[in-house]
Amino acid sequence: RWRSSAIGGRRSEEIAELIDLFSKTQYRAKEVGPRVEMIEKRCLELFGRDYRYSIIHNASGEICGHYPRQIVFLEYECTEPSKDRFESTVQISKLGDLVNRSKMARCRGRFVCPVILYNGKHICRSSTLGSDATLEDILLLLSTLGGSDDYVVRNGDSQLFDKVRGYDIKLLRYLSVRYICDLMVENKKVKFGLNVTSSEKVDKAQRYADFTLLSVPYPGCEFFKDYKDRDYTAEGLVFNWNQDFVDAPLTIPACFTRNLNIDWTAYRSWDLVEQTQNYLRLLIHIINNESGLLVHCISGWDRTPLFVSLLRLSLWADGAVHAGLEPCEILYLTIAYDWFLFGHMLPDRLSKGEEIFFFCFNFLKHIVSEKFSAIRKQRLVQRKVTTSSPQTVFWNRPVQLDDRLPHPLMEGKSSSSSSSQSEQGFPRTGSSPLAVPGRSSHVSERQSRLEAVREVFLAAYSSTVGLKSSAPSPSGAISGLLEHLARGVGLRSNNAII
């Protein structure tokens, strides 16, 4: 399996040091000390292990204050020079220009940013689109301050949005992104009666009509306080879709609903495990098509890194990306780059009990099955999927009483519950967040890889943040189990199994 050595022990401690800093420090590009500089350097080293890359410079946050200071643009894999390789045709200078011109199209300036390279296709992340009012205010301010003529408002709202959102569209096209997955549960985010964000799916001028838009509503970080309050148990935890602000239905082109064997009409009855599994399977299915993918939520720093991180780890477990990295290394990279350097507010989320960060890595136990393998999907997808004038499946039916899963408190008391089996066919776990959903006599390479990553994460999390149960755990002392794991991977001893 993975090598056992003092080096492995140090790498486990490196994860613990990273999580400790992350839990106490909010990353800002203009306020970087030596420890963050070390993290940045380590990320570049890990990217460079398998890829040729260029850098988009964001030295003091001038492009975006909560994006990495050194934004990595992956060009091609460089591990096997003689092997046929997928190489990007993107020029870094043109990419940088489009980034600068498009950044104000999106909420908080969090522009479309490529973060994973898979078979020559870019998986990107961003925030959602800024609202009409937000864009107008920003551009008028720049005009007043003598900003670039490119951004001066001269001829009304229509031309303003054509220009700013036009650059956003040019950036998407330049990165060959065709599919946009929107995780918002709202069509527009409203605060104090004002639309503070919008989204591609409700763009009045239909500027994004040439893209394949998928509305895949997923609960925001506030919902993960319920997860924490249920002793980190996602089984049986169902989002309340009847809240007033929830107005974005699940909308998926029919071409992506085939071959997955998922009843999408039942999405309102799925618990958090089934919903996350099904959305991840959908994303993996999409990236095995011919074009790139954008994933975003509202601000792009909670739900977005959750799915970006799960995609990176799942593809790594398949050997499809970052092939030269060991479990501790891929874990370090995704925590540091996908979460910390892209601005996830872990100290704030922990103070509120919104533990979406912990959920992400503990969730790896639910995606060990080959059903989540992109390599398997590649073999299944033999024909080209055409998406011009796509048929769209649109679900927004009211929830019937008999559609709902049992109340969370009743979980485990009924053997006939439809939620008693996980997506991959393993029995559902009990209340313990540490349980692995069953083991067969044969453990696949994918499963062993993901379990190794999860084990290191749980041990590091235990030695730094720790789990804070709201009530005594029915499954026993969670902290004691985590302490046992910590010893097992070397955070409490010098003998590590990585």
Side-chain angles (χ1 to χ4, degrees):
R1 294 296 174 185
W2 310 105
R3 59 187 178 185
S4 173
S5 64
I7 293 176
R10 285 199 299 273
R11 286 177 179 167
S12 296
E13 291 180 3
E14 186 181 43
I15 299 293
E17 290 170 2
L18 172 63
I19 293 176
D20 183 58
L21 175 67
F22 189 12
S23 68
K24 299 171 182 175
T25 306
Q26 175 60 50
Y27 167 78
R28 293 181 179 86
K30 63 181 179 181
E31 300 171 5
V32 170
R35 291 182 71 186
V36 176
E37 289 178 348
M38 182 186 71
I39 291 169
E40 293 171 329
K41 183 178 179 181
R42 181 74 168 131
C43 285
L44 295 182
E45 175 198 341
L46 294 173
F47 276 120
R49 195 82 60 83
D50 297 282
Y51 296 94
R52 162 78 180 180
Y53 64 82
S54 298
I55 295 292
I56 300 172
H57 294 283
N58 183 38
S60 57
E62 63 270 17
I63 305 177
C64 181
H66 22 75
Y67 267 17
R69 297 193 309 158
Q70 300 172 90
I71 299 168
V72 175
F73 176 72
L74 301 175
E75 298 179 15
Y76 57 84
E77 288 186 82
C78 58
T79 48
E80 299 181 50
S82 60
K83 183 181 176 183
D84 289 340
R85 71 187 185 197
F86 296 98
E87 187 166 346
S88 174
T89 58
V90 171
Q91 297 176 2
I92 193 67
S93 59
K94 184 171 181 180
L95 179 63
D97 181 61
L98 284 172
V99 160
N100 274 292
R101 290 175 182 271
S102 69
K103 62 184 179 181
M104 285 188 295
R106 293 192 173 263
C107 173
R108 305 181 190 273
R110 294 174 69 87
F111 58 87
V112 175
C113 186
V115 288
I116 300 173
L117 183 65
Y118 170 65
N119 286 351
K121 292 164 289 192
H122 295 291
I123 299 172
C124 305
R125 62 182 294 170
S126 72
S127 63
T128 191
L129 294 174
S131 71
D132 298 359
T134 302
L135 278 173
E136 185 174 4
D137 290 345
I138 291 173
L139 298 183
L140 283 170
L141 176 61
L142 281 176
S143 176
T144 303
L145 296 175
S148 167
D149 287 343
D150 287 339
Y151 298 117
V152 175
V153 180
R154 297 190 185 279
N155 299 309
D157 290 352
S158 178
Q159 289 190 12
L160 182 158
F161 295 120
D162 284 344
K163 185 177 290 291
V164 177
R165 290 188 178 170
Y167 284 128
D168 182 69
I169 289 167
K170 285 181 179 179
L171 176 58
L172 286 164
R173 287 176 175 159
Y174 193 56
L175 292 167
S176 299
V177 170
R178 187 171 188 176
Y179 308 107
I180 300 177
C181 286
D182 181 352
L183 297 164
M184 294 170 60
V185 298
E186 313 95 333
N187 284 319
K188 295 184 177 184
K189 183 69 174 179
V190 179
K191 285 190 177 181
F192 309 113
L194 297 174
N195 293 328
V196 294
T197 71
S198 184
S199 66
E200 299 89 354
K201 60 183 179 278
V202 291
D203 180 68
K204 293 177 182 176
Q206 294 292 300
R207 297 173 184 87
Y208 294 85
D210 290 341
F211 297 89
T212 301
L213 307 179
L214 297 91
S215 175
V216 281
Y218 190 84
C221 61
E222 302 85 356
F223 185 63
F224 289 83
K225 185 177 189 305
D226 294 343
Y227 165 69
K228 179 250 183 186
D229 288 345
R230 295 178 76 247
D231 287 328
Y232 305 87
T233 303
E235 292 84 355
L237 179 58
V238 183
F239 181 66
N240 178 8
W241 296 97
N242 295 320
Q243 297 171 84
D244 290 342
F245 65 91
V246 178
D247 61 357
L250 182 70
T251 313
I252 304 172
C255 59
F256 291 130
T257 63
R258 306 185 189 107
N259 303 320
L260 289 177
N261 195 28
I262 294 171
D263 179 8
W264 295 100
T265 64
Y267 80 96
R268 285 170 167 251
S269 67
W270 293 341
D271 68 6
L272 188 57
V273 172
E274 191 171 7
Q275 184 180 23
T276 310
Q277 286 177 325
N278 289 343
Y279 282 11
L280 182 62
R281 289 183 64 197
L282 176 65
L283 294 177
I284 291 168
H285 186 62
I286 291 170
I287 62 175
N288 272 317
N289 287 279
E290 75 279 7
S291 299
L293 166 70
L294 169 65
V295 179
H296 75 74
C297 50
I298 296 177
S299 294
W301 53 34
D302 291 304
R303 288 167 285 187
T304 298
L306 165 63
F307 282 97
V308 167
S309 198
L310 288 175
L311 273 172
R312 193 185 299 278
L313 289 166
S314 183
L315 291 170
W316 167 82
D318 288 336
V321 299
H322 303 288
L325 301 189
E326 295 185 7
C328 276
E329 294 172 328
I330 189 66
L331 178 60
Y332 187 98
L333 179 62
T334 193
I335 292 175
Y337 195 73
D338 297 330
W339 289 89
F340 178 62
L341 294 177
F342 270 92
H344 176 66
M345 299 186 290
L346 185 59
D348 175 79
R349 300 301 185 250
L350 289 174
S351 72
K352 296 174 181 175
E354 298 168 352
E355 298 214 32
I356 189 171
F357 174 69
F358 175 83
F359 170 81
C360 175
F361 297 96
N362 191 44
F363 191 77
L364 295 178
K365 65 185 177 180
H366 293 295
I367 63 168
V368 298
S369 164
E370 294 300 315
K371 283 188 178 182
F372 300 92
S373 170
I375 306 302
R376 175 179 175 271
K377 293 291 186 293
Q378 277 183 326
R379 292 195 295 267
L380 290 175
V381 182
Q382 296 296 328
R383 65 183 183 278
K384 182 178 180 181
V385 178
T386 57
T387 54
S388 56
S389 303
Q391 260 188 301
T392 297
V393 182
F394 185 88
W395 293 286
N396 194 21
R397 66 186 178 90
V399 181
Q400 303 299 321
L401 288 177
D402 57 356
D403 286 336
R404 293 187 179 276
L405 291 178
H407 188 278
L409 295 179
M410 298 299 292
E411 182 201 357
K413 294 184 179 180
S414 171
S415 60
S416 61
S417 168
S418 62
S419 64
S420 64
Q421 297 291 318
S422 69
E423 174 65 27
Q424 63 264 46
F426 291 126
R428 281 291 180 89
T429 60
S431 299
S432 171
L434 304 177
V436 177
R439 286 179 183 269
S440 62
S441 57
H442 170 71
V443 177
S444 69
E445 182 71 8
R446 175 185 171 84
Q447 180 172 345
S448 65
R449 281 171 162 241
L450 291 174
E451 287 180 356
V453 170
R454 177 174 173 267
E455 186 174 276
V456 173
F457 173 81
L458 289 176
Y461 202 83
S462 166
S463 68
T464 52
V465 178
L467 296 184
K468 300 171 178 62
S469 295
S470 58
S473 169
S475 59
I478 291 177
S479 59
L481 290 171
L482 280 172
E483 179 68 20
H484 176 72
L485 265 176
R487 293 193 188 98
V489 297
L491 289 174
R492 292 292 183 269
S493 71
N494 293 324
N495 299 319
I497 301 175
I498 304 302

